Amino acid sequence: MSITTLMLGWEFPPFISGGLGTACYGLTKAMSRRGMQVTFILPREKPIRLAGGSSDVGKALAREMPNVRIRAVASHLSAYGKYGPQPVRPVTAAVEAELADEPPTGEAATYGPSLEKEVFRYAQRVMRIAQRETFDVIHAHDWMTFPAGVAVAASTGKPLIVQVHSTEFDRSGEHVNQFVYDIERQGMHAAARVITVSHYTRNVVVSRYAVPPTKVDVVYNGVEQATGSPPLPHSAWPTRSEKVVLFVGRITMQKGPEYFLRAAKRVLEKLRNVKFIMAGDGDRLHGIIEMAACLGIGHRVFFTRFLRGGDVQRVYQMADLYVMPSVSEPFGIAPLEALQNDVPVLISKQSGLAETFRNALKVDFWDIDEMANKVVAVLRHPPLSEMLRVNGRRETLRFRWEDSAAKVNDIYRRVLHVA
Amino acid sequence: MTSVCFYFQVHQPYRLRHYTIFDSATDYFDGFKNAQVCRKVADKCYLPTNRLLLDLILRYEGRFKVAFSITGILLEQFREYAPDVLRSFQDLAETGCVEFLAETYHHSLSFLFSPGEFASQVQAHKRLIRDTFGQMPRVFRNTELIYNNALAEAVERLGGFDAILSEGADHILGYRSPNYVYRPPNTCRLKLLLKNYRLSDDIAFRFSNRAWNEWPLRAEKFAHWIHAVNGNGTVVNLFVDYETFGEHQWEDTGIFEFLRHLPTEIFKHPDTDFKTPSEVAAAYDAVDVVDVPYFVSWADIERDLSAWLGNPMQHNAITELYNLEGQVKACNDPDLLADWRRLQTSDHFYYMCTKWFADGDVHKYFNPYDSPYDSYINFMNVLDNLRSRCDPELNPSKTGLTAAPA
């Protein structure tokens, strides 16, 4: 039997701003390749016009994913709030009208000012779409889609599967937003199965949300395998006397930018010719810039803000080491992408990736001296960086979305009692 | 006649402590961990197995014999952390049924990098064995049974040896059996004893493997395999790590019972006895020359050097280490020389092996590091400090204010 999934997901290219969008897209594409039927509910702030093509985002993406139907839902929810690439603006009536997939509702499109209200408004809209769709399971990604998933499951009787890409504890440490926590908890408890992207996150789900361990499955993320010709080897570049250490990610508490800076300070005590590049935006950006100045290393730290497309490749090509100092990282696709760009990686042990990936240096995010120790080692010893680069790049091949999709398929079949 | 020749390798390295680029003290070794491991292995393996061997030697009144190769750095650690173990080995030595072999004092790969250093380590080890056990070694085994023709020639030139041990790898023996005494090319009197890796590994690796079709392995069955060699060979060389008893194979696998009953079962065949390597070399003539132009070892499936020199980090670390030889020796600083030598222990390079890393695996036992990369980083940081001590300009430690090496 072919199972059809109602997927409550996030961002599709070209507007991907982080791990959540990347994961939804990668997983869905792989499910399509496996012949799994997916109806993908995509929150959109405005209709998308792809360069030189149809104005219908659904059709454009359909060519890539024949078994996936995209249904846009007007919402200004975005994966990362205002720190994604898109500015948050209320959806206008004109935009609403252009969202061809959705019939006019007659409702005023002036959305509530708060995220809380928007989450429920999104749920109502999804409910409306769901009434006109046929599907076997509902698969919701992260908390903002959980109320919608729970509502659709309650009204249709179809099983709900929630996938946790990050929890409120990852994003906010101990200072959790109670409203968000409650929604996460309700979603996990209402679901037939919970999927986490690592054992690390599975532990959080079990210990912090009291979900029975037997209900939680781990499905690791994959990474899109690099296509086209491999980048030029570093040896082909003009020799640089300066080394570059890279941070790519939102500049927020969760990503540990402070630890990166403090380690940078220690590294500069040992090596002079090192530059530190921090690519990303976030609520800690200004504080971090100030901190770099206070530490007296402002002249060695460079802030690029949020980078898109080709700029990301370019910054990777300059880098000698990628550091992911996350305080709490459910998975961590970005280091895999760095490796695909031939940059060795140093990752925080507080990450899902660290529990399964072998050819990376690992460090506790708070252990500044050890982080600096390892950064210095990579910059000073070419055999080390070479082995991390070559073996790491090879190891990224283990992370295939096809395998993730196959596991998700098994979970669906178990939930539906299909042999 | 078939002789069973047991040789046990007894070794523990001086493990390094966590040493970052920000450290500057010269105490590189983890005294606490080394003492802890030494004590643990002493209680689980060395003491109970020594006791058992002593029982067997007394019970069979000189007919049961074994040989040991104990590294210099482990004897040092016994003296410091486990004097009771040292005494129990000395008790075994006094029975006259135990032979002690010579190797490099520091369990090093010095033969590959510095012939001069190799010779001094072998001499230092011989002296230590003579002083500790009252016998001068007559048989040589190189670190991890690493061997080639050139090694045999070098060992013969050193003098004082009747035989040398190596791995009976298929690719050096071809159709020939390891159950005979051989001879290296270009040597006059040295004999070559080759490990019967099938029977040795049955004890060392497969003993507790329930998926193995011969499991459970009892003394009777094993003795039967040994008896089958009669007529097809003169000696069965069983070379195993001593930690096999009680550590690699835990007590509950029955390994001690196996050893306890083995002599009785072996003696059931009248044409079978136990001999030490020296006795084997004296009793049997070499039947052929075995040519080993390339290095072999007893490690992993490859039986080559790849466990220690299989990747760029290992090559880099060891080359940098031996590049310091001249400078270290020119300093005339005994502490510096001792530290440099302890860094030569092969285990440091084994920890950097990435061969099996991908499969998640066997190089883990006793390995203090989470990953080969961490071990390389740590080693290079220590080496960096050691290098700074070679340069008097950079070295303030001559004032005697720094901590003494562990």
Side-chain angles (χ1 to χ4, degrees):
Chain A
M1 135 186 185
S2 172
I3 299 169
T4 301
T5 308
L6 182 73
M7 181 84 82
L8 309 185
W10 294 99
E11 311 172 308
F12 262 16
F15 290 105
I16 283 189
S17 59
L20 179 58
T22 309
C24 287
Y25 175 59
L27 178 65
T28 306
K29 213 159 85 169
M31 286 169 71
S32 171
R33 275 198 295 272
R34 280 184 61 87
M36 297 166 72
Q37 305 292 320
V38 180
T39 300
F40 195 101
I41 307 293
L42 182 69
R44 293 264 41 121
E45 200 176 337
K46 41 193 158 179
I48 300 166
R49 290 191 181 78
L50 294 181
S54 142
S55 65
D56 186 345
V57 64
K59 271 186 206 156
L61 287 165
R63 276 197 294 278
E64 197 180 24
M65 299 182 283
N67 297 311
V68 176
R69 292 197 314 123
I70 310 273
R71 303 296 309 267
V73 52
S75 169
H76 67 240
L77 286 181
S78 75
Y80 301 102
K82 63 181 176 166
Y83 299 114
Q86 304 149 357
V88 172
R89 250 180 278 114
V91 174
T92 63
V95 165
E96 182 108 339
E98 278 190 70
L99 283 164
D101 257 5
E102 195 172 341
T105 60
E107 235 175 85
T110 47
Y111 285 168
S114 73
L115 184 59
E116 287 86 341
K117 285 199 184 121
E118 185 54 30
V119 168
F120 291 108
R121 202 177 292 269
Y122 164 82
Q124 285 166 3
R125 289 181 173 248
V126 171
M127 278 286 283
R128 223 170 285 136
I129 294 174
Q131 279 162 13
R132 287 177 282 118
E133 296 289 335
T134 51
F135 50 87
D136 306 294
V137 291
I138 308 145
H139 188 148
H141 295 268
D142 268 9
W143 75 276
M144 286 184 276
T145 65
F146 287 3
V150 172
V152 174
S155 69
T156 60
K158 305 288 185 189
L160 169 66
I161 287 152
V162 300
Q163 182 159 358
V164 182
H165 298 262
S166 86
T167 69
E168 184 59 11
F169 293 96
D170 299 310
R171 294 180 297 263
S172 310
E174 294 303 309
H175 307 285
V176 296
N177 177 327
Q178 190 64 38
F179 171 79
V180 175
Y181 173 82
D182 290 344
I183 286 183
E184 287 179 329
R185 190 182 165 107
Q186 280 163 8
M188 293 177 202
H189 283 266
R193 301 293 302 176
V194 178
I195 296 174
T196 60
V197 292
S198 62
H199 289 277
Y200 173 81
T201 298
R202 184 176 185 272
N203 289 341
V204 175
V205 162
V206 170
S207 64
R208 302 288 198 137
Y209 295 84
V211 177
T214 50
K215 200 172 126 172
V216 192
D217 297 301
V218 173
V219 177
Y220 285 124
N221 283 332
V223 62
E224 292 283 327
Q225 300 306 329
T227 49
S229 55
L232 282 177
H234 281 236
S235 54
W237 285 69
T239 49
R240 293 179 282 118
S241 60
E242 290 204 312
K243 300 285 185 180
V244 173
V245 180
L246 183 64
F247 170 104
V248 180
R250 276 169 292 121
I251 305 206
T252 59
M253 188 286 294
Q254 185 192 353
K255 302 293 178 181
E258 293 89 347
Y259 302 97
F260 180 79
L261 273 193
R262 291 195 185 276
K265 164 92 175 156
R266 294 290 269 152
V267 169
L268 289 166
E269 288 167 19
K270 290 287 166 187
L271 297 173
R272 266 173 307 159
N273 288 329
V274 188
K275 279 182 179 168
F276 296 84
I277 296 181
M278 301 189 76
D281 270 326
D283 58 3
R284 298 279 302 123
L285 179 66
H286 295 140
I288 290 294
I289 292 173
E290 225 169 85
M291 185 177 155
C294 289
L295 290 171
I297 56 172
H299 62 302
R300 289 274 141 201
V301 186
F302 299 84
F303 296 88
T304 67
R305 310 293 301 269
F306 187 88
L307 295 181
R308 288 162 206 270
D311 287 340
V312 179
Q313 311 293 317
R314 226 160 286 140
V315 79
Y316 278 133
Q317 284 175 353
M318 295 166 67
D320 295 282
L321 176 66
Y322 171 95
V323 180
M324 181 181 79
S326 297
V327 171
S328 185
E329 190 69 60
F331 185 76
I333 296 181
L336 297 179
E337 291 171 345
L339 283 164
Q340 288 183 330
N341 283 284
D342 274 327
V343 182
V345 301
L346 165 56
I347 62 179
S348 135
K349 286 184 183 171
Q350 286 68 35
S351 68
L353 191 61
E355 78 193 23
T356 173
F357 200 81
R358 300 188 187 96
N359 293 289
L361 296 181
K362 299 170 193 176
V363 65
D364 287 307
F365 73 88
W366 44 263
D367 197 346
I368 302 304
D369 282 0
E370 186 57 18
M371 199 184 292
N373 181 43
K374 289 186 162 151
V375 170
V376 170
V378 173
L379 301 184
R380 286 180 51 179
H381 304 302
L384 175 62
S385 92
E386 191 59 24
M387 286 194 66
L388 285 168
R389 191 194 331 275
V390 173
N391 294 344
R393 188 183 163 103
R394 191 181 311 132
E395 196 180 353
T396 61
L397 300 174
R398 282 205 296 130
F399 295 84
R400 306 182 331 136
W401 283 116
E402 281 70 16
D403 298 336
S404 314
K407 278 200 176 160
V408 166
N409 193 38
D410 289 344
I411 293 167
Y412 290 169
R413 299 180 89 81
R414 253 184 293 143
V415 166
L416 295 169
H417 307 291
V418 180
Chain B
M1 194 67 167
T2 302
S3 302
V4 176
C5 177
F6 261 122
Y7 134 64
F8 302 118
Q9 178 61 34
V10 196
H11 167 64
Q12 293 294 332
Y14 274 106
R15 292 162 196 83
L16 294 167
R17 71 177 174 94
H18 181 57
Y19 199 91
T20 74
I21 196 70
F22 303 108
D23 281 286
S24 57
T26 58
D27 56 327
Y28 304 141
F29 303 95
D30 191 335
F32 179 76
K33 185 182 280 158
N34 291 325
Q36 203 181 33
V37 172
C38 199
R39 199 61 252 172
K40 181 180 85 114
V41 185
D43 294 338
K44 286 180 73 180
C45 164
Y46 302 149
L47 290 172
T49 320
N50 280 1
R51 211 156 36 228
L52 175 56
L53 292 178
L54 188 63
D55 282 354
L56 293 172
I57 287 167
L58 297 177
R59 190 188 321 161
Y60 295 99
E61 298 170 332
R63 294 169 65 212
F64 178 68
K65 296 164 184 180
V66 297
F68 288 106
S69 186
I70 312 180
T71 61
I73 52 173
L74 182 56
L75 286 170
E76 282 179 18
Q77 293 186 77
F78 282 156
R79 204 165 290 149
E80 199 174 347
Y81 309 129
D84 48 340
V85 176
L86 189 59
R87 268 194 309 279
S88 74
F89 275 112
Q90 285 166 333
D91 291 345
L92 283 170
E94 280 171 18
T95 63
C97 294
V98 177
E99 178 175 2
F100 290 86
L101 313 183
E103 63 171 303
T104 56
Y105 188 103
H106 294 86
H107 199 264
S108 72
L109 303 176
S110 53
F111 180 72
L112 284 77
F113 293 89
S114 169
E117 177 61 20
F118 171 74
S120 19
Q121 287 189 17
V122 175
Q123 297 306 348
H125 189 251
K126 279 173 81 169
R127 274 196 304 275
L128 180 70
I129 295 299
R130 185 197 59 203
D131 298 346
T132 314
F133 300 111
Q135 55 172 272
M136 202 58 169
R138 302 287 306 170
V139 172
F140 182 79
R141 64 76 70 179
N142 195 25
T143 306
E144 309 285 358
L145 294 189
I146 290 171
Y147 174 89
N148 70 0
N149 295 338
L151 175 78
E153 290 166 37
V155 167
E156 185 161 271
R157 272 198 306 277
L158 285 178
F161 293 112
D162 304 320
I164 185 166
L165 312 187
S166 185
E167 172 71 26
D170 294 336
H171 67 276
I172 64 170
L173 279 169
Y175 68 91
R176 293 169 294 189
S177 155
N179 304 331
Y180 288 96
V181 172
Y182 291 92
R183 163 162 84 70
N186 311 319
T187 55
C188 306
R189 52 184 307 272
L190 209 57
K191 284 179 177 164
L192 178 59
L193 272 53
L194 298 172
K195 174 180 144 188
N196 182 317
Y197 74 81
R198 285 187 186 86
L199 291 170
S200 299
D201 292 354
D202 285 342
I203 301 174
F205 301 118
R206 288 181 282 273
F207 186 79
S208 61
N209 181 359
R210 286 166 187 254
W212 180 34
N213 58 10
E214 298 292 351
W215 186 88
L217 180 60
R218 297 201 199 286
E220 192 183 356
K221 188 193 283 176
F222 192 78
H224 185 71
W225 293 343
I226 300 271
H227 296 152
V229 173
N230 258 303
N232 271 319
T234 49
V235 58
V236 177
N237 293 311
L238 300 175
F239 300 169
V240 299
D241 272 334
Y242 201 35
E243 292 80 11
T244 297
F245 303 95
E247 273 287 357
H248 301 319
Q249 307 294 342
W250 288 359
E251 188 182 357
D252 62 12
T253 62
I255 191 77
F256 290 112
E257 288 310 299
F258 171 82
L259 187 57
R260 189 187 312 283
H261 294 108
L262 192 60
T264 316
E265 296 297 333
I266 296 281
F267 289 137
K268 280 186 179 166
H269 194 298
D271 271 344
T272 317
D273 68 356
F274 288 91
K275 280 188 170 56
T276 67
S278 281
E279 291 172 342
V280 169
Y284 304 111
D285 291 330
V287 297
D288 198 2
V289 170
V290 173
D291 183 25
V292 187
Y294 305 108
F295 282 109
V296 292
S297 79
W298 74 357
D300 304 336
I301 303 167
E302 295 86 349
R303 315 275 182 198
D304 60 10
L305 301 181
S306 58
W308 310 276
L309 294 168
N311 72 41
M313 294 191 297
Q314 293 170 313
H315 275 281
N316 178 240
I318 203 162
T319 309
E320 293 286 314
L321 178 69
Y322 281 100
N323 280 345
L324 289 178
E325 181 176 358
Q327 290 176 64
V328 167
K329 290 185 172 168
C331 285
N332 270 326
D333 173 347
D335 292 340
L336 177 64
L337 185 61
D339 285 342
W340 178 68
R341 287 190 162 145
R342 285 179 185 183
L343 292 180
Q344 291 179 39
T345 304
S346 68
D347 303 60
H348 299 305
F349 310 101
Y350 194 69
Y351 300 145
M352 298 176 199
C353 178
T354 45
K355 235 187 340 179
W356 301 104
F357 187 48
D359 317 323
D361 99 343
V362 264
H363 285 206
K364 262 193 215 142
Y365 214 82
F366 296 129
N367 186 341
Y369 298 99
D370 291 337
S371 93
Y373 303 109
D374 290 358
S375 83
Y376 170 81
I377 292 172
N378 213 50
F379 185 90
M380 295 307 276
N381 286 341
V382 169
L383 196 59
D384 196 51
N385 184 275
L386 188 100
R387 188 184 292 113
S388 74
R389 287 163 70 194
C390 296
D391 186 344
E393 300 275 311
L394 291 171
N395 185 9
S397 72
K398 288 287 160 61
T399 57
L401 288 174
T402 49

